[in-house]
Amino acid sequence: MFQNYLLLINASGDEWPDARKRALLLHCLGTEGQRIFLSLPNTGDTYDGAVAALKAHFIAKVNVVVEQHMFRKRVQGPNESILQYIAALRDLASTCDFGEMCKDMIRDKFVEHVASHRIRERLLLESGLTLEKAITLATETEAATVQAKTISGEQQISV
């Protein structure tokens, strides 16, 4: 977030000295943030050192086993759209350390636990299914289901 602010005020790159960026960072922390910062060990004399010290203090350590457990337990909610479910899976997977297998893990989890049996069957018919193709097919099927219900009169349209 602070990097965006530096970019906004044109303070990125070598245009501003490192000491000035560090001073601006500390100023933006406010009184309480400065109090915490000054109590931290190894804050360094540079902007990068200050950022590293703040990250070490405020960013919680990730337990990959717990993160992967949370990913495996996630199922699509009853009123959750395909895109909302995929976004939730991507968010959970971002801390799971799946590496290059990340898209495959999301695809497999999605196919296994998508709420609609019709969508699951459609996805299982595809050979060489990628995550992108799964999302496309599932959203098209989801939209078609809603449209079919609208045409048959099962779903009321709010005006």
Side-chain angles (χ1 to χ4, degrees), residues 62-142:
V62 175
N63 185 330
V64 175
V65 173
V66 172
E67 297 299 318
Q68 290 179 358
H69 172 75
M70 297 303 292
F71 177 81
R72 286 191 309 272
K73 287 187 60 94
R74 184 64 161 84
V75 296
Q76 185 179 13
N79 295 320
E80 188 174 38
S81 73
I82 296 296
L83 293 179
Q84 289 170 332
Y85 183 45
I86 289 291
L89 289 177
R90 282 185 170 143
D91 184 48
L92 289 169
S94 69
T95 56
C96 288
D97 197 25
F98 288 142
E100 292 186 19
M101 294 295 296
C102 189
K103 285 185 176 184
D104 290 343
M105 297 296 285
I106 294 170
R107 179 204 58 208
D108 294 351
K109 178 68 178 168
F110 174 65
V111 172
E112 290 172 25
H113 294 284
V114 66
S116 168
H117 295 290
R118 182 175 177 214
I119 291 174
R120 184 177 306 109
E121 289 171 359
R122 176 66 182 95
L123 296 176
L124 291 172
L125 288 172
E126 284 297 314
S127 62
L129 185 67
T130 64
L131 176 60
E132 291 75 19
K133 193 170 187 178
I135 293 168
T136 300
L137 292 171
T139 53
E140 287 173 352
T141 305
E142 182 181 58

Side-chain angles (χ1 to χ4, degrees), residues 1 11 22-23 29 52 57 64 114:
M1 193 69 97
R22 185 177 189 271
L29 288 176
H57 179 73
V64 175
V114 66

